[in-house]
């Protein structure tokens, strides 16, 4: 008689996961006036190679691959991904208010338009390398947001970007802590 195999089950429960972010309110989502150039800059933050869409996708991929063996790490990564989703939503609303199109095309300053692609992601196999890739992506996002703040002369938009940076800095701290807690 053939022995029945037990089904494989992921016992990591994601019920009740909340966004991992700084406990500060976001500024109102408003703009001083429509500005297509500013909308284009934010489209890069929305769906460029260094973007909230890339961060979300990379975090969810890492969370999926870690959930069976490193459940607490996976839960934390999912919480960060949820915060990144909130950033994406806020950027989309700002782009719309500025008069831009909310789509998956980054509008570069040279007039070139690039559709988002998963080729932008870094997907290592080892947990520590995943976290390091996530830290590097957060650092790149902060650098890009700071550059865009110097180019955007709309205090309403810049206040939102500065608030997003606070979350990204917090994510780096959390990810560094996770790196110290895992084996590989």
């Amino acid at each position: 008689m053939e022995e029945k195999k037990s089904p494989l089950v992921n016992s990591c429960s994601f019920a009740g996961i909340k966004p991992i972010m700084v406990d500060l309110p976001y500024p109102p989502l408003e703009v001083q006036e429509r500005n297509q150039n500013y909308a284009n800059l934010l489209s890069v933050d929305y769906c460029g190679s260094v973007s909230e869409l890339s961060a979300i996708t990379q975090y969810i991929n890492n969370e999926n691959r870690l959930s069976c063996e490193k459940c607490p790490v996976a839960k934390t990564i999912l919480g960060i991904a949820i915060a990144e989703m909130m950033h994406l939503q806020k950027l989309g609303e700002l782009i719309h208010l500025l008069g831009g199109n909310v789509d998956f095309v980054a509008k570069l300053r040279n007039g070139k338009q690039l559709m988002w692609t998963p080729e932008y992601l870094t997907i290592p196999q080892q947990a520590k390398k995943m976290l390091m890739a996530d830290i590097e992506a957060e650092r790149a996002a902060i650098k890009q947001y700071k550059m865009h703040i110097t180019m955007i002369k709309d205090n309403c938009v810049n206040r939102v970007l500065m608030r997003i940076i606070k979350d990204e800095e917090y994510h780096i701290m959390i990810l560094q802590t996770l790196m110290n807690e895992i084996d590989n």
Side-chain angles (χ1 to χ4, degrees), residues 17-22 24-27 29 45-46 52-53 55-56 59 78-94 145 160-161 163-164 167-168 171:
I17 300 294
K18 292 184 174 34
I20 293 178
M21 52 201 301
V22 176
L24 292 171
Y26 280 89
L29 294 177
D45 299 320
Y46 186 85
E52 297 299 336
L53 186 59
I56 293 162
Y59 279 125
L78 181 58
I80 293 172
I82 295 169
E84 303 295 355
M85 289 176 203
M86 294 174 71
H87 299 164
L88 185 76
Q89 185 279 328
K90 291 175 186 328
L91 290 173
E93 194 168 325
L94 288 172
Y145 279 127
V160 175
L161 298 182
R163 174 59 186 83
I164 290 172
D167 285 341
E168 308 300 23
H171 294 163

Side-chain angles (χ1 to χ4, degrees), residues 4 11-12 28 44 49 55 76 79-80 101 129 155 166 174:
K4 260 190 162 180
S11 61
C12 189
V44 174
S49 59
T76 301
I80 293 172
N101 289 325
K129 289 183 180 178
N155 290 331
K166 289 182 186 315
I174 298 291

Side-chain angles (χ1 to χ4, degrees), residues 134-153:
D134 293 341
I135 290 168
E136 290 308 314
E138 293 283 4
R139 287 180 178 149
I142 291 167
K143 181 179 178 185
Q144 182 169 282
Y145 279 127
K146 286 180 177 179
M147 180 181 66
H148 287 171
I149 287 168
T150 66
M151 299 166 76
I152 295 173
K153 305 304 178 206

